[in-house]
């Protein structure tokens, strides 16, 4: 555990970058520092590996003051990833990744073997090993940055806006990859970003800082969304906080209807029987994959015209996806019903906006109840 | 009739001998200049305030004519190669110090931050990160210093035939053989170009990490 204890940083020019900040950063979780530009995120991060020394207060790593060990020993035990990767332009990808193992005295051979292993772990083709950084895309460079930080297997990983210089598609890939790696390795990660969506997606806990380097709120993302501490946090979370909060509610409990599902090759009898029950039918192929919506009257047995079907929007996977995905599916569907599919993409049922709305209210109710219990205890 | 490469015997050297001498008199000062410039430039990077005065001193030295240096130095080193090479070494500083300072300063801040964060000490960071990355700028400086040094060696002829190929210019007058002057000028020009080409090749070999012109990314 990293304990930041009443830390203040005043730069020589008088700027107070961090003001009496106290945080407990749990092991094996991702703690995100988020806040507007200039609120002291980088300063806070750099105080953890002593690239910046606090003016007041102390930082404890597993109960021991970080000033008690030699500074370079401390730094080599903490991986560090920055925007634009900060790779050494004059070293090959492999040697960039091998840097810290080499500093720690590993042989060149061992360090390179380890580096090759890490390239695979972060999803880099080992054919890139002999290249130089200028020969890589921004996203690839960023992966190298992560691999380099992980090379000596440090327990702590400090990341300063590592993904903010790449396009949104690559950023999402890198975020997903980080979550996957974290699942496998369980590092203690401190992650700095100014992107609240990134904070909510990655953070086990999120610390919102305000300008002047003061802590505004420190909470798990779901709690941040449901109960922002003040107007600043609420404002920082943005307009669609209610919708985003749905990401934390599971869709597993939604009651699915199977009656509207018909196969494209259904006979006249089946069609007629279903027609009376619902306003729309979801036509599927023989494997059960959705094709589109249709009004029952427009369907003729054995001769379904796929061109005539209405788009079914984006399906969700109950249990895996959240209520947000389900609601999104329903909003996108021209019929107002969301399509639920299994892992293989076969339709398992449909659900109306109304039912999703009830599920949302129920979920809010459960959160409120739990909060009440917690308060009463 | 004398051949183009036959020299008067009082030059005391064959043509090839003069070429060798010329290269030594031109390149040793640049090498010495580089060895002095590296630590001086590092001090200028480390303590920003000393850079302007250092640059001022280098510029003033550059403005002093070699003859003035010779007058002083002859008292200590006589009419020797050393007397010729010391001013040349001092002249190279005006090019090399700023080249190295700019080269070291041009290392991207995030690269330095990364080195610091990974636990590089200052010395290791200098030799393993800053210096290699400054190589292109250093070699650019060396090219200018080398070519100008090769042409400046000739003035050594003024202090008793210490100008290597430059001595041929003097001989050309004494013996009324203008071909000797043409030879000297051409040879010095070719040496300059070859030395320059060698430095370009050296940079190419030392910096496989630089984007190559014409090569795709
Ligand atoms: N070396 C320094 N000297 C003086 N002031 C500094 C220094 N470094 C940062 N600051 C100031 O401290 C404050 C916090 O800076 P910091 O870099 O920690 O912000 P940040 O939250 O990381 O911002 P951003 O999102 O823009 O990266 C800013 O007002 C900044 O101008
Ligand atoms: Mg920052």
């Amino acid at each position: 555990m990293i304990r930041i204890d009443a830390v203040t940083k005043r730069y020589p020019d008088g700027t107070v970058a961090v003001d009496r900040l106290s945080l407990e950063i749990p092991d094996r979780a991702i703690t995100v520092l988020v806040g507007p530009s200039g609120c002291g995120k980088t300063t806070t991060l750099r105080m953890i590996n002593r690239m910046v020394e606090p003016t007041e207060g102390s930082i404890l790593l597993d109960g021991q003051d970080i000033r008690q060990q030699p500074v370079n020993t401390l730094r080599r035990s903490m991986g560090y990833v920055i925007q634009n990767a900060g790779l050494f332009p004059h070293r090959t990808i492999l040697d960039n990744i091998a840097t810290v193992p080499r500093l720690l005295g590993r042989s060149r051979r061992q360090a390179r073997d380890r580096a090759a292993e890490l390239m695979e772990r972060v999803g880099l083709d080992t054919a890139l090993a002999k290249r130089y950084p200028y020969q890589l895309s921004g996203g690839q460079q960023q992966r190298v940055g992560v691999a380099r930080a992980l090379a000596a297997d440090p327990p702590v990983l400090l990341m300063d806006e590592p993904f903010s210089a790449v396009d949104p598609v690559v950023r999402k890939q890198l975020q997903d990859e980080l979550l996957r790696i974290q699942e496998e390795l369980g590092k203690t990660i401190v992650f700095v970003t100014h992107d609240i969506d990134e904070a909510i997606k990655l953070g086990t806990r999120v610390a919102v800082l305000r300008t002047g380097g003061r802590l505004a709120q420190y909470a798990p993302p779901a709690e941040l969304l449901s109960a922002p501490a003040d107007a600043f946090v609420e404002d920082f979370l943005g307009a669609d906080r209610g919708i985003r909060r749905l990401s934390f509610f599971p869709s597993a409990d939604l009651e699915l209807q199977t009656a509207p599902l018909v196969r494209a090759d259904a006979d006249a009898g089946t069609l007629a029987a279903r027609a009376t029950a619902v306003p729309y039918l979801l036509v599927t192929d023989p494997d059960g994959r959705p094709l589109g919506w249709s009004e029952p009257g427009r369907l003729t047995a054995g001769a379904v015209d796929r061109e005539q079907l209405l788009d079914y929007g984006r399906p969700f996977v109950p249990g895996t996806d959240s209520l947000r995905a389900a609601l999104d599916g329903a909003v996108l569907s021209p019929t107002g019903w969301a399509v639920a599919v299994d892992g293989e993409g076969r339709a398992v049922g449909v659900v109306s906006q109304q039912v999703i709305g009830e599920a949302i209210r129920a979920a809010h109710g459960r959160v409120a109840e739990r909060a009440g219990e917690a308060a009463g205890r | 009739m004398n051949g183009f490469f036959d020299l008067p015997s009082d030059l005391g050297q064959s043509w090839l001998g003069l070429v060798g001498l010329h290269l030594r008199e031109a390149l040793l000062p640049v090498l010495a200049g580089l060895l002095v410039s590296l630590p001086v430039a590092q001090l200028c990077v480390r303590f920003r305030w000393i850079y302007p005065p250092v640059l001022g001193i280098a510029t003033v030295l550059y403005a002093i004519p070699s003859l003035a240096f010779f007058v002083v130095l002859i008292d200590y080193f006589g009419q020797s190669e050393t007397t010729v090479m010391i001013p040349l070494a001092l002249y190279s500083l005006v090019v090399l110090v700023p080249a190295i300072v700019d080269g070291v300063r041009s290392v991207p801040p995030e690269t330095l931050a990364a080195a610091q964060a990974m636990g590089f000490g200052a010395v290791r960071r200098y030799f393993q990160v800053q210096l290699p990355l400054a190589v292109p700028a250093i070699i650019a400086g060396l090219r200018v210093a080398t070519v100008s040094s090769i042409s400046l060696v000739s003035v050594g002829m003024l202090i008793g035939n210490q100008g290597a190929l430059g001595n041929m210019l003097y001989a050309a007058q004494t013996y009324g053989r203008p071909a000797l002057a043409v030879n000297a000028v051409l040879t010095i020009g070719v040496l300059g170009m070859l030395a320059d080409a060698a430095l370009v090749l050296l940079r190419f070999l030392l910096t496989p990490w630089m984007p190559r012109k014409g090569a795709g990314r």
Side-chain angles (χ1 to χ4, degrees):
Chain A
M1 188 177 76
I2 302 169
R3 212 176 118 140
I4 299 179
D5 197 7
V7 159
T8 295
K9 176 63 194 181
R10 201 174 296 108
Y11 281 108
D13 66 358
T15 312
V16 176
V18 176
D19 191 10
R20 281 162 294 158
L21 179 69
S22 293
L23 275 185
E24 292 202 345
I25 295 169
D27 282 341
R28 309 175 76 79
I30 302 181
T31 301
V32 178
L33 305 179
V34 69
S37 184
C39 69
K41 305 181 292 292
T42 297
T43 302
T44 304
L45 196 72
R46 290 187 171 189
M47 285 193 290
I48 297 175
N49 72 355
R50 294 185 59 194
M51 290 171 76
V52 172
E53 296 287 353
T55 318
E56 283 161 34
S58 58
I59 299 178
L60 307 181
L61 175 63
D62 297 328
Q64 202 198 41
D65 194 310
I66 56 171
R67 282 169 294 200
Q68 281 177 6
Q69 51 177 319
V71 66
N72 284 334
T73 309
L74 177 80
R75 287 178 187 160
R76 289 171 197 174
S77 72
M78 297 184 172
Y80 188 78
V81 191
I82 44 179
Q83 191 178 327
N84 296 320
L87 300 182
F88 296 136
H90 61 301
R91 291 194 177 168
T92 61
I93 301 314
L94 205 63
D95 285 340
N96 258 287
I97 300 173
T99 303
V100 183
R102 288 287 288 153
L103 287 176
L104 291 171
R106 236 51 68 66
S107 76
R108 188 176 295 261
R109 170 82 174 284
Q110 274 178 323
R112 285 190 173 160
D113 286 350
R114 171 77 181 145
E117 193 182 307
L118 273 154
M119 284 185 77
E120 280 170 27
R121 186 174 289 277
V122 301
L124 280 168
D125 187 346
T126 43
L128 301 175
K130 290 268 145 47
R131 292 211 195 168
Y132 288 97
Y134 82 92
Q135 295 165 310
L136 263 54
S137 72
Q140 288 169 331
Q141 292 191 22
Q142 214 55 64
R143 286 173 198 265
V144 177
V146 174
R148 183 174 65 175
L150 289 170
D153 203 18
V156 176
L157 212 52
L158 308 176
M159 309 181 83
D160 193 353
E161 307 207 21
F163 307 147
S164 61
V166 293
D167 69 63
V169 177
V170 176
R171 188 178 316 148
K172 183 175 179 309
Q173 284 172 3
L174 290 169
Q175 290 167 347
D176 292 340
E177 204 96 332
L178 178 68
L179 288 172
R180 184 182 59 73
I181 292 171
Q182 172 64 357
E183 194 125 302
E184 292 168 17
L185 301 182
K187 300 289 181 191
T188 302
I189 299 180
V190 189
F191 189 106
V192 163
T193 178
H194 59 250
D195 176 356
I196 184 69
D197 289 317
E198 187 168 64
I200 284 171
K201 175 170 178 180
L202 297 179
T204 313
R205 291 180 76 89
V206 177
V208 184
L209 299 179
R210 69 172 96 233
T211 312
R214 272 167 305 138
L215 184 63
Q217 188 169 6
Y218 185 38
E223 188 183 323
L224 216 57
L225 287 168
S226 61
D230 58 20
F232 169 80
V233 177
E234 191 168 357
D235 202 42
F236 193 73
L237 287 167
D240 45 3
R241 157 169 84 86
I243 299 286
R244 281 190 302 185
R245 199 181 154 203
L246 299 182
S247 309
F248 296 95
F249 298 145
S251 60
D253 299 340
L254 284 175
E255 213 163 293
L256 303 177
Q257 291 197 38
T258 50
L261 303 184
V262 288
R263 294 182 172 227
D265 55 4
D267 55 38
T270 315
L271 283 182
R274 297 287 172 82
T276 51
V278 285
Y280 289 97
L281 293 176
L282 182 74
V283 182
T284 66
D285 70 10
D287 288 337
R289 280 172 234 283
L291 295 171
W293 293 100
S294 175
E295 284 171 39
R298 290 174 168 270
L299 290 176
T300 18
V304 171
D305 180 1
R306 294 188 179 193
E307 301 292 312
Q308 290 280 315
L309 299 175
L310 297 172
D311 187 23
Y312 58 91
R314 195 211 291 251
F316 70 99
V317 183
T320 306
D321 285 333
S322 64
L323 277 185
R324 184 177 177 175
L327 181 64
D328 195 53
V331 173
L332 285 174
S333 164
T335 61
W337 291 62
V339 176
V341 294
D342 62 16
E344 264 85 66
R346 287 183 296 252
V348 294
V350 296
V351 57
S352 69
Q353 280 179 12
Q354 199 189 346
V355 171
I356 296 172
E358 280 161 16
I360 292 170
R361 278 190 295 279
H364 282 180
R366 279 197 297 276
V367 171
E369 236 169 67
R370 247 179 282 142
E373 277 171 24
R377 226 179 287 134
Chain B
M1 192 61 218
N2 290 306
F4 191 62
F5 293 106
D6 290 333
L7 309 184
S9 59
D10 65 347
L11 286 181
Q13 292 274 357
S14 66
W15 177 80
L16 262 183
L18 283 185
V19 167
L21 191 63
H22 197 98
L23 284 178
R24 190 172 77 203
E25 274 188 57
L27 299 186
L28 280 181
V30 177
L31 196 62
L34 180 64
L35 290 181
V36 173
S37 300
L38 284 171
V40 169
Q42 193 50 25
L43 285 176
C44 293
V45 171
R46 196 72 196 252
F47 309 99
R48 287 177 160 267
W49 61 268
I50 68 168
Y51 185 41
V54 164
L55 206 54
I57 293 169
T59 309
V60 168
L61 287 175
Y62 190 66
I64 299 175
S66 19
L67 263 182
F69 277 117
F70 293 163
V71 168
V72 176
L73 291 171
I74 278 178
D75 282 352
Y76 300 92
F77 302 102
Q79 298 191 348
S80 67
E81 279 179 40
T82 314
T83 303
V84 179
M85 291 196 289
I86 289 176
L88 293 182
L90 293 174
Y91 292 159
S92 72
L93 298 182
V94 82
V95 183
L96 292 177
V97 170
I100 300 170
V101 168
D102 290 348
V104 170
R105 276 193 192 158
S106 71
V107 175
E110 66 262 25
T111 305
L112 291 180
Q116 190 192 8
M118 280 185 285
F120 279 66
V123 175
R124 203 192 286 267
R125 196 176 63 174
Y126 177 67
F127 283 105
Q128 294 188 3
V129 181
Q130 292 175 302
L131 204 52
L133 288 177
V135 160
I138 294 174
I139 291 190
L142 280 178
R143 288 174 64 185
V144 177
T146 303
V147 172
S148 87
S149 184
I150 286 175
S151 87
L152 284 174
V153 164
S154 315
V155 297
M157 73 179 185
L158 296 174
I159 52 162
N161 275 354
Q162 293 299 342
L165 289 164
N167 300 344
M168 291 164 71
L169 297 170
Y170 195 64
Q173 282 183 345
T174 323
Y175 298 96
R177 283 175 57 189
L180 285 177
V182 174
N183 184 333
V185 171
L186 285 180
T187 307
I188 290 171
V190 170
L191 283 186
M193 283 190 283
L194 288 178
D196 194 49
L199 285 169
V200 172
L201 180 69
L202 181 69
R203 194 205 56 200
F204 188 83
L205 295 176
L206 286 181
T207 60
W209 48 271
M210 274 187 31
R212 298 276 185 235
K213 246 180 258 161
R217 44 170 301 118

